[in-house]
Amino acid sequence: MSLDAQTLIDWFADTARDLPWRRPDCTAWGVLVSEIMLQQTPVARVEPIWHEWLARWPKPSAMAEATQGEVLRAWGKLGYPRRALRLHAAAQAIATDHNDVVPDDVDTLLALPGIGAYTARAVAAFAYGQRVPVVDTNVRRVVARAVHGAGDAGPPSTTKDMKDVEVLLPEDGAAVFSAALMELGAIVCTARSPRCADCPVFETCAWQLNGRPAYDGPAKAVQKFAGTDRQVRGLLLDVLRGTAEPVGKDRLDRVWSDAGQRDRCLHSLLVDGLVEQTADGRFALPGEH
């Protein structure tokens, strides 16, 4: 089984969402910013923040000159704020070591601080048209169903997943094909309610031909938010983003009643470099005291 690349490319040309980081005038820096922001965050939440960031920091050197606190403040409520610090560190490296130009090959991208296997390949493909496999959750699900006939993908395996996708890449138009695979998984071949009637590869889909068997692999972890350390960390950061001056511990103590969890989360923010403590014992965003 395989996927007809041209069918998917044609479908993508007709139906793809008009996203700013997909437009021809988007820079490689714009693509990199989008890829970091889109990790575990919906497009609808990312798009307005992406526009704000590119207007404020149109190239890596512009962001490199900002403080970590300014970057965290601009990140707002996108979640997983360590991504903002990783992007800031990458911007500094690009500005200093690469003449303010985002590298175009996977190995050089991987050498940037905070850039992992997925992001490096996504930038190489979507910013520079490189023929490299780009694998996210949506791609894994499409390949599992359309190629392997399974209800969903099993546990991630970087080596296997990369090989699965690499053999599907056409010689020409590989980057567009990769974007089409992602789009198919995001809007048609979804996890819970796949719209098979709208699928461009419906007739050759192995899952459909197998009778659409249910996924019977290992149970997937369900992420929750309410009451978690992630929620508490976010509340603590909200206080610091909402003021221009360092705040005392008593101010932070008001955001969560469980003192043990609250103090543990504050400590983890300090360890992660998302919060700094002043000489007089107050707390602030990094670089803002």
Side-chain angles (χ1 to χ4, degrees), residues 150-155 213-221:
D152 208 337
Y215 174 72
D216 60 358
K220 298 181 178 181

Side-chain angles (χ1 to χ4, degrees), residues 115-139:
I115 302 301
Y118 166 79
T119 303
R121 286 169 174 79
V123 172
F126 303 141
Y128 294 111
Q130 303 273 0
R131 186 182 181 276
V132 292
V134 185
V135 183
D136 70 352
T137 300
N138 289 321
V139 169

Side-chain angles (χ1 to χ4, degrees), residues 3-42:
L3 286 171
D4 184 72
Q6 194 58 51
T7 297
L8 267 184
I9 289 171
D10 291 344
W11 168 82
F12 185 72
D14 292 337
T15 64
R17 291 169 291 176
D18 179 22
L19 302 177
W21 43 86
R22 286 177 174 170
R23 295 171 189 165
D25 61 348
C26 182
T27 64
W29 170 241
V31 172
L32 175 58
V33 172
S34 76
E35 290 298 340
I36 298 293
M37 287 185 169
L38 287 165
Q39 293 168 12
Q40 298 178 284
T41 307

